[in-house]
Structures are given as C-alpha cells and as structure tokens.
C-alpha cells in the first residue's frame, strides 16, 4: 500500500525533508545540511541515507511510498534535467533519476523548481487550498512567483515562467535591477525594495517619521509596523510599493487569471493589513471586470517547499 | 470511422464553418449569416441545418464525425455555459449542448471563446505549428490574446485570461481605454492605436511626412507602408507602438513563457518588417535571459477560428 509520499526541498544551506500521508498530513519533518563540496555530489546521497533511517523508524519500505518529490533552487528542464544550479554547485545533474537509484531503483521520483513547487504546496494544503489555478508570490529579499493552472505547474519554455518579480511596472525607477532591467516589481515590492522606497521617501521629505530613528537599521518589518501605527511617511512609501505590486498582479491576472493569488515570504508577515492595501491597487488596475482573483496570505511558510515537493508525485 | 471534425466560428455577422480531416486538412468551408433576431435563437439551428446538407453532400453521417467545435465571441464558462454574449444577443445559452441536440444527440460538441479557439488553430496548423505552448496575439481594431499551455487553452477563472490588450504598459497615456484603464497595450498597438500614435507624432512636429497628405483618412496600413518607405515620422510612431507591444509581450513571457508568440490580425499584414521591429523591443524588455520565446506571424488569417474550433474536439 503506497500510502505515503516524501517531499524534499533542497536549499543552499539545508535540505528540508518531510514525510506525508497522501492527504497532505505531515508526519515528520527533518533537515539535512547541504554539502556543497565537490560540485554538490553528496547532497542527494546524504538526503537518501537519512530518509532511509526515517523510513525504517516508521516501519516503512519503498513499497509504502507513492514517490519522492524534489524541489531544486534553480531552473529545471521539462525532462527533469538540471544544466546548472549555482546555489548547489550542480552541473548537468538528473536529480530525480539519481534519487531513484540511491533509493534502490523502485521509487518514483519527480523534480521541479523550488518556487513552482512551493506554489504547488500552497495549492495543496496552504492558502490556495481548494483551488486548482493559483499564482503564488513570494515577497522576500527578491520577488518570486509560481504559476499553477489546472493543478499543473506552468514552468515555461525558457525558464522565464513565473518570473513575475522581473515584470516591468515602474518607469521612474532610476536604479538597475539584478536582471539588467529597470523598474521591476522586485525593485518596488521585495523586502529590499520596500526599505529602499521608504529611504527615498524619508530623504525627499522633512516631515517627522518614526522610521528616522532607525537609520541604516531600517527594515521592511519596521516600515510595515510604522505604517500600521499611522506613520505618514511609512504609509506613503508602503502604498507606493503595494501600488507597483498591485499593478504587477493585475498584469498577471490579464494573462492567466488565477482563482487566487497567494502571497507569502517574509514581507507577508505584515498580514491582512498588507493584503488589504495591495487589494486596493490590484482592483484599480483591473478595471475590466468586478469579478477578479482574490488575494490571500500563504499559510505554509518555509514548509511550502516540502509540501509541494510531496504533492509533485501525486499526479 | 470518425475521421472528420467540424469547426464553427460564430461571429456577429457571419458564422464561418469548416469540415476537416483529423490531420487538419480543410475539405470545405462555408459561411452562414448570423441571424441575431429573437435573442439569436436561430443561429445554431441555421448552422446545424446547413451542416447536415454539407455532410450529406460528402456522404458523411454523424458516425463519421469525431465532433463539432464552436467558437463564441464572448466569455465561455468552464462548464460550457454562456451567460451573456452581446455580439449574438445570447443570454443563458449552452451552445455545445444545443448543437448536440440539433444534430440528433449523438455528436460530441465543445465550445470555447473565439480568441482562445483561434490560438488553438494557429497552434494546430498555423504559425505555432509544432509547438504546444503559444500565445497568440491578434492586432486588429483591438488587441486580443489566446494563451495555450501544454496544448490546452488557459481561459482563466474570471474571464480575464488572455486579455493582454488591457495590460497596462504606458504611463504617459492621457486617454482612457474602453476597459476603463489608461495606457493599455491596445491603446498603443491596435490598428486604431497605431493611427492615433501617428497622428500625435504628426501634430507634435513640423517635419515633413508622407502621412500628412492622408489627413483623416490615415490608416494603420498607410502608417506601416510609410515607415517601410523610410518616412521618419511614420517610423518614429510605429517604433513607439511596437515598443509598448514589446513591453506587453515581455510581461506575458515573464508569466507563462510560451515557446512562441504568434502575431495575427490586420496589423500583422505589415509582415516581417513589423515582427523585426517588435523583436527589438521585446528583447530589450526581457533582459533576464538570452533564451527567449520567438515571435512569428500567424498564417491562418480569418480561418484560424474554424481550425481551432475543429481542434477543440481532438483532445
């Protein structure tokens, strides 16, 4: 009886692993350090070895597993090939095939990009539960996206799919983004972008603001907290950031029109306050219809990757 | 042997119909006037009645048909229901179910939105042939889009999917779009938008231009022809239109990243010249990767709808 599945989210520092029932119930999770030496060739064997221990402790064999899903922090080709994964030191790796071999040859393994896989997790048992078409947006140091249509990841044909952090939304941006563009969603609405915008607003005004006392220590969390507390400049800058994010989501809605946007990442800890602000601008930029995708908070946090990786093998 | 399929593209003036072999070969096409009186209740029966005649002439019965596909000029719900179709006068219609009944009950019928269906046609045997993920862009009076991922239409959850003509790309637009927004792709790059931009350029300059002699008769075709002939102001205005279209396609690429964009509609008659201009701006706005979707011309013209409607029933 294959009543279990395993989700493995490979990060640059640690590999997160989870053992699940097929209904999405997490039985146990653990972490394995990411050994990047020698072009990362030990990463998967370390994971497999610890997984076998955990399975043994639960009295499980390969026959009990529906499969093992892997999330990789970089582009994954449609056939499962990873040409290069800078964060892991990988070159020319077939993670799913290798994992199957490491587990003895009789376990189905699948692989996907980590951002896409996390989106799948949020769809399965997170903020997007009950939906089959979602766009997951991760607001962290950068802005990442994962597009799910009819329950399937839309990875795209050239590794550009879901790169919504690099959609151009702001003409008056003067700095360049890492991507080489200017005026990307990421520059306005990532944690970094929110702090940069707040600093600009502070520099361009003499008005008092609680943000001033933090100087270079100003963080996205402080900007959001100050805005919530009614600080005028904090609110003004956060409104600007959310306006550009709202524009970006409107653009996404005019392409794939998901049932729901699921917003996660560190910035989303500002919670319903942030979502409500974002909705104002999203609605303004989707005048075509009053029937629109909803915007909700992600609920799985850093575990979205293991959930989604496990979900990969249920199709 | 169900070796044939039928594609029906219902327009506001005429209904285009085609009888196909399953490999996409068009055997015969014909048109039926769209009788919009009495809330359009005769439209489908007119089509069915003529279809029966044509089938008889070919010696075909329902058993020879894989199915009949219908393209409708308005939003189609995922279950095939059409709440309202202004262009046909329809309210609360189930076109596929009705067509099945009109044909005697033993023919599979499917229905889709006409822009999406046309995209499917271009994928099947048109500019997108050989690909399974394409975005079809129709540059006509307006700008329409059809998104196909892994061979399936992405219709979206609220009727916004593929509405790429209404993506906001231009901050300095002063006029409003029909959608209620301002700065939409459609305002810059539809036939109307191209003419409007040319008129603005003419009004803002004293430079000579062959476009001036046409006055109010200036058309998109004339703008394109003048640009091709080296007219400076025509080129300047067309570059602006293609820059905003290029931006829009870049935004789409960062969401679904199709294998190829297929450009059709009246404006696309300007041919390779237009596509090459568009590619310059598309490339500028996708700095993330040198591996990008290609941009090609549509090849089916007004027949894309019948091809795509027929293709609907082959899944």
């Amino acid at each position: 009886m294959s009543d279990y599945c395993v989700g493995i989210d490979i990060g640059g520092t640690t590999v997160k692993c989870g053992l699940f029932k097929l209904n999405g119930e997490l039985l146990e999770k653990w972490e394995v350090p990411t050994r990047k030496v020698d072009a990362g060739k030990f990463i998967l064997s370390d994971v497999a070895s610890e997984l076998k221990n955990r399975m043994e402790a639960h009295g499980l064999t390969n026959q009990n597993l529906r499969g093992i899903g892997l999330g990789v922090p970089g582009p994954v080709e449609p056939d499962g090939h990873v040409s290069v994964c800078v964060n892991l030191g990988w070159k020319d790796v077939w993670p799913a095939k290798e994992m199957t071999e490491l587990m003895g040859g009789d376990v189905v393994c699948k692989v996907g990009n980590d951002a896409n896989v996390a989106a799948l997790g949020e769809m399965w048992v997170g903020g997007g539960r009950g939906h089959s078409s979602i766009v997951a947006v991760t607001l962290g140091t950068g802005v990442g996206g994962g597009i799910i249509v009819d329950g399937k990841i839309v990875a795209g044909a050239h590794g550009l799919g879901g790169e919504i952090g690099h959609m151009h939304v702001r003409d008056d941006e003067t700095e360049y983004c890492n991507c080489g563009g200017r005026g990307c969603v990421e520059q306005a609405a990532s944690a970094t972008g929110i702090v940069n915008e707040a600093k600009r607003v502070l520099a361009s005004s003499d008005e008092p603001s609680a943000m001033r006392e933090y100087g270079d220590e100003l963080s996205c969390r402080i900007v959001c907290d100050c805005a919530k507390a009614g600080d005028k400049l904090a609110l003004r800058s956060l409104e600007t950031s959310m306006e550009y994010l709202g524009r970006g989501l409107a653009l996404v809605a005019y392409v794939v029109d998901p049932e729901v946007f699921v917003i996660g990442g560190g910035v989303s800890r500002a919670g319903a306050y942030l979502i409500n602000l974002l909705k104002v601008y999203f609605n303004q930029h989707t005048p075509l219809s009053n029937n629109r995708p909803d915007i909700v908070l992600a609920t799985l946090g850093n575990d979205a990757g293991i959930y989604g990786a496990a979900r990969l093998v249920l199709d």
Side-chain angles (χ1 to χ4, degrees), chain A:
Chain A
M1 294 288 288
S2 53
D3 290 340
Y4 300 86
C5 51
V6 173
I8 293 171
D9 181 16
I10 308 174
T13 312
T14 59
V15 181
K16 296 187 182 68
C17 308
L19 174 65
F20 295 86
K21 288 205 166 183
L22 300 188
N23 64 359
E25 187 191 336
L26 176 62
L27 297 179
E28 188 189 4
K29 63 176 177 173
W30 63 94
E31 295 189 359
V32 177
T34 308
R35 260 210 286 167
K36 290 194 284 191
V37 293
D38 290 342
K41 70 176 179 183
F42 302 112
I43 296 175
L44 290 174
S45 52
D46 287 354
V47 168
S49 148
E50 181 60 20
L51 172 58
K52 286 176 192 167
N53 293 339
R54 303 279 171 155
M55 284 169 62
E56 202 178 312
H58 284 272
L60 301 177
T61 69
N62 285 356
Q63 278 58 55
N64 297 111
L65 293 190
R66 178 70 66 89
I68 300 170
L70 302 162
V72 170
V76 178
E77 288 153 36
D79 59 0
H81 183 239
V82 173
S83 296
V84 179
C85 186
V86 180
N87 291 333
L88 305 179
W90 284 358
K91 268 187 190 168
D92 194 22
V93 174
W94 296 84
K97 278 186 198 167
E98 276 192 33
M99 195 67 189
T100 294
E101 283 161 26
L102 287 163
M103 292 301 290
D106 57 347
V107 180
V108 173
C109 295
K110 292 193 179 176
V111 61
N113 163 268
D114 60 352
N116 291 331
V117 160
L120 206 55
E122 288 291 343
M123 181 195 79
W124 192 24
V125 290
R129 189 199 286 252
H131 298 286
S132 62
S133 294
I134 75 164
V135 172
V137 181
T138 305
L139 305 175
T141 316
V143 172
I147 318 273
I148 314 275
V149 173
D150 290 338
K152 306 276 182 206
I153 291 170
V154 177
H158 312 82
L160 300 175
E163 286 288 356
I164 64 181
H166 297 291
M167 298 178 94
H168 174 87
V169 286
R170 186 172 194 175
D171 281 355
D172 69 0
E173 177 62 57
T174 53
E175 312 263 316
Y176 280 95
C177 177
N178 294 329
C179 75
R182 210 155 40 168
C184 297
V185 169
E186 180 163 305
Q187 289 181 280
S190 64
T192 325
I194 288 171
V195 171
N196 287 344
E197 184 60 30
K199 286 182 177 169
R200 285 184 198 180
V201 169
L202 288 173
S204 70
S205 164
D206 290 330
E207 292 177 63
S209 165
M211 295 190 294
R212 294 197 190 278
E213 68 195 73
Y214 295 92
D216 282 348
E217 302 297 306
L218 189 64
S219 68
C220 174
R221 185 178 171 169
I222 293 166
V223 176
C224 293
D225 285 348
C226 288
K228 281 185 198 177
D231 186 282
K232 260 178 153 177
L233 297 192
L235 181 58
R236 191 186 304 162
S237 76
L238 195 59
E239 280 175 345
T240 301
S241 290
M242 289 305 107
E243 161 141 34
Y244 287 112
L245 180 58
R247 281 190 190 209
L249 299 193
L251 295 165
V252 175
Y254 283 162
V255 183
V256 291
D257 185 17
E259 293 169 275
V260 67
F261 286 97
V262 180
I263 311 294
V267 176
S268 72
R269 288 194 207 110
Y273 172 81
L274 194 85
I275 299 295
N276 290 333
L277 203 53
L278 174 59
K279 279 184 181 175
V280 170
Y281 297 105
F282 174 68
N283 290 353
Q284 276 180 16
H285 287 282
T286 47
L288 198 56
S289 167
N290 286 320
N291 184 19
R292 303 178 169 91
D294 198 6
I295 304 177
V296 302
L297 285 165
T299 63
L300 299 178
N302 289 331
D303 287 344
I306 54 172
Y307 278 92
R311 177 66 178 73
L312 268 184
V313 298
L314 298 190
D315 280 329

